């Protein structure tokens, strides 16, 4: 059973993001056009007299050219270092919004806008008040259920173990609704790496932390007690994806190199798990095919997994190892095309997963 890699038909497109890249998120807008944002993050080693380290970054915008199957650079906007980005999946008052988890502890909100030269750009519209730690991830409550704009909310995780729920008000402001001290170790603050809604029931959200715990929470309960705690992962839990295709299906990824498939009603034991040889930083379902999952595998590149619906088993069917640094950002842009961002080599690659399929001889 030799596993060999099919030879590439098309060499991928490669962009130099200049700064270390760690986040990629795509959106299809109403007229069918697709855009992606790429987030970057750079630590300035004590660049000022106080010796305090500062972090900066930017958000770069690309458009998908459907005819040529290529990405085209549109524009960029400077910002604080980016830890995570998420598009609101639907328009809000006919505008498309992207939220940024920023290293200064705030959430920044941008709107996709037209420029005079027929390109698109991001314009900052608001920001939340700062928390006392870096914001590490965020998720909108409307991935599956197109909530009325009056009840749009965003859950976010922080490097001090906190989870904060924000609401986007009609006025365009972000209001802090509630917070949880979700993850700690022996009473000490520890990173909450990820917070993500159950997209079928946005009253429920999940969190993962550096304490290796995966927890479920109900926003309707004011208590600080989770509805469940799972200790199945053996290292920090850094990714969580609730399936838009299959209610109760949850996938989680960890620094322990495994991705786990769960039924959210039976969190005592997983349906299946797979070791992918690197930490699982992001998990993305193919927008059309529920059985294809793209993952960013940190020190072991990017992969596409196939999910067997009947057994819930995962298997690697395609691997992309062209990027030479930490694989952090990944998303599907089209049925077969993936955009992937890696860190210290500050690169964005765009590739067809079918050109990198594994063939078992």
């Amino acid at each position: 059973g030799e596993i060999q890699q099919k030879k590439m038909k098309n060499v991928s497109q490669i962009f130099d993001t200049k700064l270390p890249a760690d986040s990629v998120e795509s959106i299809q807008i109403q007229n069918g056009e697709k855009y992606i944002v790429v987030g970057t993050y750079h630590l300035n080693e004590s660049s000022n007299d106080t010796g305090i380290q500062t972090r900066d970054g930017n958000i770069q915008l690309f458009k998908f050219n459907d005819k040529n199957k290529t990405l085209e650079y549109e524009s960029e906007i400077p910002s604080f270092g980016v830890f995570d980005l998420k598009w609101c999946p639907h328009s809000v008052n006919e505008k498309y919004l992207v939220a940024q988890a920023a290293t200064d502890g705030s959430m920044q909100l941008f709107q996709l806008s037209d420029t005079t030269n027929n390109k698109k750009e991001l314009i900052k519209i608001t920001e939340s008040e700062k928390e006392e730690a870096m914001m590490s991830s965020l998720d909108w409550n409307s991935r599956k259920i197109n909530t009325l704009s009056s009840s749009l909310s965003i859950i976010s995780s922080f490097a001090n173990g906190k989870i904060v729920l924000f609401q986007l008000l009609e006025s365009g402001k972000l209001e802090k609704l509630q917070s949880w001290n979700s993850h700690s170790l022996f009473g000490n603050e520890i990173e909450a790496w990820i917070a993500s809604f159950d997209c079928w029931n946005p009253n429920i959200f999940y969190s993962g932390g550096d304490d290796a715990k995966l927890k479920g929470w109900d926003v309707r309960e004011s208590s600080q007690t989770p509805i469940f705690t799972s200790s199945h992962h053996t290292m920090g839990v850094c990714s969580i994806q609730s399936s838009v295709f299959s209610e109760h299906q949850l996938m989680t990824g960890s620094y322990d190199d495994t991705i786990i498939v769960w039924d959210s009603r039976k969190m005592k034991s997983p349906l299946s798990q797979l070791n992918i040889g690197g930490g699982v930083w992001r998990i993305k379902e193919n927008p059309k095919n529920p059985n294809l999952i793209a993952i960013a595998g940190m020190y072991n590149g990017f992969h596409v997994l196939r999910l067997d619906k009947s057994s819930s088993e995962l298997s690697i069917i395609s691997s992309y190892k062209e990027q030479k640094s930490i694989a952090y950002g990944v998303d599907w842009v089209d049925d077969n095309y993936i955009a992937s961002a890696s860190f210290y080599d500050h690169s964005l690659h765009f590739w067809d997963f079918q050109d990198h399929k594994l063939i078992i001889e």
Side-chain angles (χ1 to χ4, degrees):
E2 275 289 287
I3 294 184
Q4 293 180 340
Q5 190 119 27
K6 207 167 87 172
K7 286 287 172 277
M8 289 195 279
K9 288 198 295 286
N10 310 320
V11 175
S12 54
Q13 244 185 316
I14 298 172
F15 297 89
D16 180 357
T17 57
K18 309 280 196 300
L19 297 173
D22 63 3
S23 179
V24 177
E25 295 289 327
S26 72
I27 181 103
Q28 179 168 342
I29 65 173
Q30 201 138 23
N31 63 9
E33 291 175 350
K34 293 174 182 164
Y35 291 89
I36 73 160
V37 280
V38 178
T40 67
Y41 167 120
H42 177 64
L43 184 63
N44 299 315
E45 298 297 339
S46 54
S47 55
N48 51 19
D49 301 337
T50 57
I52 295 169
Q53 292 183 325
T54 57
R55 298 172 174 85
D56 57 27
N58 62 23
I59 302 171
Q60 303 175 17
L61 181 68
F62 294 81
K63 183 180 181 179
F64 176 60
N65 180 322
D66 193 37
K67 198 167 114 234
N68 304 335
K69 304 293 182 200
T70 53
L71 289 183
E72 295 167 356
Y73 173 82
E74 294 277 301
S75 59
E76 66 190 60
I77 185 168
S79 188
F80 300 99
V82 179
F83 237 97
D84 193 20
L85 291 166
K86 296 280 164 56
W87 290 98
C88 182
H90 50 83
S91 60
V92 180
N93 302 328
E94 297 179 11
K95 299 286 187 198
Y96 285 87
L97 306 179
V98 64
Q100 171 199 354
T103 50
D104 78 327
S106 70
M107 183 183 296
Q108 310 276 319
L109 208 53
F110 301 87
Q111 158 184 311
L112 186 65
S113 307
D114 296 307
T115 66
T116 44
N117 62 359
N118 213 7
K119 296 266 190 199
K120 291 261 195 274
E121 65 178 355
L122 295 171
I123 293 174
K124 182 170 151 183
I125 53 172
T126 192
E127 63 185 277
S128 72
E129 286 179 21
K130 283 183 199 171
E131 293 293 316
E132 274 154 21
M134 293 193 292
M135 186 183 291
S136 52
S137 79
L138 49 79
D139 189 34
W140 295 81
N141 67 341
S142 56
R143 273 180 63 227
K144 177 80 188 167
I145 299 155
N146 186 342
T147 27
L148 296 166
S149 56
S150 59
S151 55
L152 262 180
S153 58
I154 303 175
I155 198 83
S156 56
S157 62
F158 289 84
N160 60 0
K162 261 196 169 152
I163 303 287
V164 176
L165 179 66
F166 293 94
Q167 185 167 6
L168 181 59
L169 304 176
E170 292 285 1
S171 65
K173 285 198 163 53
L174 285 165
E175 183 183 37
K176 182 172 165 178
L177 290 183
Q178 211 172 329
S179 73
W180 294 261
N181 293 316
S182 62
H183 295 270
S184 62
L185 203 55
F186 310 121
N188 299 317
E189 290 183 356
I190 196 165
E191 288 89 350
W193 287 119
I194 188 81
S196 191
F197 284 107
D198 182 319
C199 59
W200 296 74
N201 176 8
N203 288 313
I204 304 296
F205 71 89
Y206 308 104
S207 68
D210 220 39
D211 53 358
K213 299 282 190 279
L214 166 68
K215 298 183 178 186
W217 306 86
D218 189 325
V219 299
R220 294 163 298 191
E221 295 186 14
S222 55
S223 84
Q224 292 281 322
T225 314
I227 45 183
F228 72 79
T229 298
S230 163
S231 306
H232 205 87
H233 281 292
T234 56
M235 289 173 74
V237 176
C238 47
S239 53
I240 298 171
Q241 185 75 299
S242 160
S243 171
V244 292
F245 297 108
S246 181
E247 194 174 358
H248 311 301
Q249 181 187 300
L250 194 62
M251 289 189 190
T252 60
S254 164
Y255 292 132
D256 66 12
D257 295 0
T258 64
I259 178 170
I260 294 183
V261 185
W262 302 91
D263 179 327
S264 61
R265 296 163 297 186
K266 311 178 194 132
M267 294 302 296
K268 292 264 184 288
S269 57
L271 297 174
S272 74
Q273 73 182 67
L274 178 70
N275 186 310
I276 63 112
V280 183
W281 186 254
R282 286 293 175 265
I283 301 168
K284 297 289 179 70
E285 289 182 302
N286 183 294
K288 300 250 176 72
N289 184 340
N291 306 323
L292 292 177
I293 313 291
I295 58 165
M298 292 184 69
Y299 292 98
N300 193 30
F302 298 93
H303 305 277
V304 174
L305 313 181
R306 180 184 285 123
L307 175 67
D308 182 300
K309 268 293 184 254
S310 55
S311 69
S312 297
E313 294 294 324
L314 290 166
S315 53
I316 298 177
I317 58 166
S318 177
S319 288
Y320 188 77
K321 301 279 184 81
E322 306 298 310
Q323 276 156 292
K324 300 301 176 224
S325 182
I326 313 173
Y328 275 139
V330 70
D331 208 356
W332 296 93
V333 180
D334 200 37
D335 302 357
N336 299 324
Y337 284 86
I338 289 174
S340 53
S342 51
F343 204 63
Y344 294 113
D345 61 349
H346 41 86
S347 72
L348 170 71
H349 287 219
F350 187 62
W351 44 282
D352 182 338
F353 89 95
Q354 298 178 104
D355 293 341
H356 299 272
K357 275 196 168 159
L358 305 176
I359 301 166
I360 296 170
E361 298 287 329

